[in-house]
Amino acid sequence: MTSVNVNPKTVDSISDLHRKEGNTLYASATENLSAVVRQDRLTKSVSAYYKAWNTALNDKEKASAAKNYGLASWRLGKIHRGNGSTAEYVNYFFMEALSYMAKAEIHGKEASLDQRWLSQIELHLNTFLDSAVSNILCASVGVVVGKKVNMIIGILKTLPERKHHFRLHMEMAGLYFKDGLCLLSAGDYKGALNRMYECYQPIEEAKLCTGTCSDSFRNAEIYLLQEDVYVHKCVAESMQMRKKGDAILNQVLLEEENLNVTLVYDAIDCFTQSIILTRDRDIEGEAITHSRLGLLYHNVLKLRERAKRYLLVSVELGHSLFPRNFNTDDWFVKAKKVLEEYQKETTEKELSEYNKTRQPYLDTLKDELDKLVKEFEKDAIVFLEFLYKTHPPKNKNLVMAPKPDEMTPEFKKKALQTAILHYHPDKQNVDDHGMLWKIFCEEITKWLTNKYEYFKG
């Protein structure tokens, strides 16, 4: 328990008598008593200290009365907070404690009290301020940000010394910022934007509190909060532009009889601006907007290459946020589906063009392929012996595995697997052996794979 001032004198003033009465009550409110009894005794001590303050005749008496009044009020606030009283009610006691401790500091300086006494007052002020701020920040969810900010403003008005104002302004900005984050996560970009803009005034006030001195810690704290506010303001504005683009596009698709190209490009401008605002700040938002743009180019303007470019970025950004999974998110599902369609079409086109290139070579190889087809219908080992004898691999070191004394399905499977490796088209050197040999190996590999799958089961 913090002790209060007891200054014995030969003749006590009226203020001293009231203060001594308060001291007795204050000292009797020990922690081993119930909260109700402590509350009652501290309330009576506060009343006595208030009388001492009102009857004080000089700065020294005022300083002592104010200090003791502040300590008793602070302890009352702690009791009420422990009893579950509302943050507003508890704040009243902490405000009283701060107000009178600040008065004690002023009158203590006027009375030329020693530095040790003044240092104690400073410690009490910091303790009371910690309690008051904690009470506000930890208030129940039902206490809206506006009420919390008003309580902080009340503390600011209570403390005349600006040395404590920096923290309070930063706490106020932090309240606005955290509420803005909650609104942003809920999709309320308008509310989030308002909160981010509300951060700027207390931040500027905090800058003024640093004065002309170079306080690296305070300056760093201000800089970090400013950066966070700016980033999330950009994210909220990006969401706003994306929603605006969605609204314009819906108007084009649902309300306009004919395609209004001007409005379409207005939507594109909104999406582009959204990407610029969110780039390197909100990867998910950037991915969503890239998906919007890609789908617009795919569904509305039919510009496949542009659509593919934006959709590809969208999916890549989504994957970069692993382990988060967007496989159930509409923007990701649609982007991925269109890309798969593009990939399928590209593969089919490339295959068709390759088959056209292959056809002249297949015509040249027709007789040899027909012979292989006849041998293919025979036993796997017979087919392999014919293949290695009539069309051996170009690499002379690649030969058929020697036959065992007892032929088993396992050996046939292994022999086919080895042959696939020997004749695989990717293993053939077109520059040395020509395209005709590569295409011949493609056909051989198809048959070998077919037989291998049979033995593989």
Side-chain angles (χ1 to χ4, degrees):
M1 185 191 306
T2 307
S3 63
V4 297
N5 283 357
V6 180
N7 297 318
K9 290 183 178 179
T10 305
V11 178
D12 290 329
S13 68
I14 295 174
S15 177
D16 287 332
L17 291 172
H18 285 308
R19 184 163 52 80
K20 285 183 177 180
E21 178 191 354
N23 290 346
T24 303
L25 290 164
Y26 182 93
S28 68
T30 55
E31 296 299 321
N32 61 319
L33 297 175
S34 68
V36 174
V37 175
R38 281 186 287 125
Q39 181 181 325
D40 178 64
R41 293 183 183 182
L42 287 170
T43 301
K44 290 177 180 177
S45 74
V46 166
S47 178
Y49 291 139
Y50 185 71
K51 292 175 183 177
W53 165 262
N54 283 331
T55 56
L57 299 175
N58 54 56
D59 287 316
K60 186 174 182 180
E61 288 183 353
K62 283 183 177 293
S64 296
K67 173 189 174 184
N68 295 352
Y69 183 100
L71 286 167
S73 295
W74 174 65
R75 287 185 65 193
L76 271 174
K78 288 177 66 179
I79 291 173
H80 284 295
R81 188 178 181 187
N83 290 340
S85 298
T86 63
E88 293 94 327
Y89 188 65
V90 174
N91 189 60
Y92 165 77
F93 292 97
F94 289 151
M95 289 266 290
E96 286 287 283
L98 285 165
S99 174
Y100 277 85
M101 199 56 71
K103 291 174 182 177
E105 184 176 35
I106 293 170
H107 288 287
K109 290 178 180 178
E110 290 294 327
S112 299
L113 295 180
D114 61 59
Q115 189 58 45
R116 182 180 177 185
W117 191 92
L118 292 172
S119 297
Q120 285 183 337
I121 297 297
E122 182 65 24
L123 288 173
H124 291 320
L125 276 171
N126 289 329
T127 302
F128 296 172
L129 187 59
D130 287 341
S131 298
V133 170
S134 174
N135 172 61
I136 294 169
L137 298 182
C138 299
S140 63
V141 178
V143 180
V144 296
V145 171
K147 285 186 177 180
K148 293 182 179 181
V149 168
N150 286 336
M151 284 191 274
I152 291 180
I153 291 173
I155 297 174
L156 278 166
K157 293 178 179 177
T158 299
L159 295 174
E161 291 284 343
R162 289 183 65 84
K163 59 188 174 185
H164 299 292
H165 288 195
F166 172 82
R167 177 182 177 185
L168 293 169
H169 285 303
M170 291 299 288
E171 295 289 2
M172 196 187 309
L175 282 171
Y176 285 134
F177 177 68
K178 289 173 185 175
D179 192 53
L181 289 185
C182 293
L183 293 169
L184 194 59
S185 64
D188 183 2
Y189 60 86
K190 291 182 180 179
L193 268 177
N194 288 334
R195 284 289 185 250
M196 295 306 159
Y197 282 119
E198 284 175 312
C199 290
Y200 285 117
Q201 182 178 349
I203 288 175
E204 291 303 315
E205 292 289 343
K207 287 181 182 179
L208 294 175
C209 293
T210 61
T212 56
C213 63
S214 177
D215 188 328
S216 58
F217 291 106
R218 286 187 172 188
N219 290 335
E221 189 177 348
I222 291 171
Y223 173 78
L224 290 174
L225 183 56
Q226 270 188 317
E227 283 296 299
D228 286 340
V229 169
Y230 176 73
V231 166
H232 288 87
K233 180 177 73 70
C234 288
V235 172
E237 289 174 345
S238 170
M239 192 181 293
Q240 184 180 41
M241 295 305 295
R242 185 166 66 245
K243 295 291 183 183
K244 184 178 178 181
D246 287 340
I248 294 173
L249 192 57
N250 285 335
Q251 179 185 345
V252 171
L253 299 178
L254 302 178
E255 298 177 16
E256 299 284 332
E257 292 185 4
N258 299 315
L259 182 63
N260 189 327
V261 178
T262 301
L263 287 180
V264 170
Y265 278 96
D266 286 344
I268 290 174
D269 289 341
C270 289
F271 291 142
T272 303
Q273 186 63 25
S274 175
I275 290 173
I276 293 170
L277 285 166
T278 198
R279 184 168 291 147
D280 298 328
R281 300 184 181 103
D282 175 25
I283 296 177
E284 182 181 354
E286 188 179 351
I288 292 171
T289 311
H290 271 90
S291 176
R292 294 281 204 282
L293 259 178
L295 293 172
L296 184 154
Y297 280 116
H298 172 73
N299 294 320
V300 181
L301 297 179
K302 311 299 181 183
L303 297 175
R304 294 167 56 90
E305 287 305 314
R306 286 196 179 185
K308 183 178 179 181
R309 185 171 74 239
Y310 284 108
L311 293 173
L312 189 60
V313 172
S314 174
V315 172
E316 287 175 348
L317 288 172
H319 285 312
S320 73
L321 291 173
F322 181 83
R324 291 187 63 188
N325 190 316
F326 300 101
N327 287 330
T328 58
D329 289 42
D330 188 60
W331 64 268
F332 187 81
V333 171
K334 288 181 177 178
K336 197 172 179 181
K337 182 181 178 182
V338 173
L339 281 176
E340 287 172 351
E341 291 175 2
Y342 284 170
Q343 185 62 40
K344 184 179 178 182
E345 290 174 7
T346 302
T347 302
E348 290 175 351
K349 183 179 179 181
E350 290 175 351
L351 183 60
S352 175
E353 291 175 354
Y354 183 61
N355 285 335
K356 289 178 181 178
T357 304
R358 277 164 41 92
Q359 193 56 51
Y361 296 104
L362 291 174
D363 293 341
T364 303
L365 293 167
K366 186 176 182 307
D367 293 340
E368 295 298 329
L369 292 173
D370 289 341
K371 293 177 184 178
L372 282 175
V373 169
K374 292 179 181 178
E375 295 298 323
F376 177 75
E377 296 173 356
K378 299 177 182 179
D379 179 74
I381 298 300
V382 175
F383 175 70
L384 287 174
E385 288 176 332
F386 176 80
L387 179 62
Y388 276 92
K389 181 180 179 181
T390 55
H391 306 286
K394 298 302 180 181
N395 185 343
K396 303 302 181 181
N397 296 322
L398 302 179
V399 294
M400 181 180 171
K403 290 193 294 183
D405 295 335
E406 183 179 348
M407 189 64 63
T408 63
E410 187 63 30
F411 172 77
K412 293 180 179 181
K413 185 171 74 170
K414 186 68 175 177
L416 286 167
Q417 189 178 40
T418 302
I420 290 171
L421 292 175
H422 290 173
Y423 287 95
H424 198 282
D426 292 345
K427 302 279 187 181
Q428 312 309 314
N429 191 322
V430 177
D431 293 335
D432 292 341
H433 310 301
M435 193 66 180
L436 185 68
W437 173 249
K438 180 180 179 179
I439 291 174
F440 190 39
C441 286
E442 286 178 0
E443 297 302 309
I444 291 172
T445 303
K446 290 179 186 177
W447 295 325
L448 291 172
T449 303
N450 185 287
K451 278 193 176 292
Y452 176 76
E453 293 296 329
Y454 171 78
F455 283 100
K456 188 178 177 183

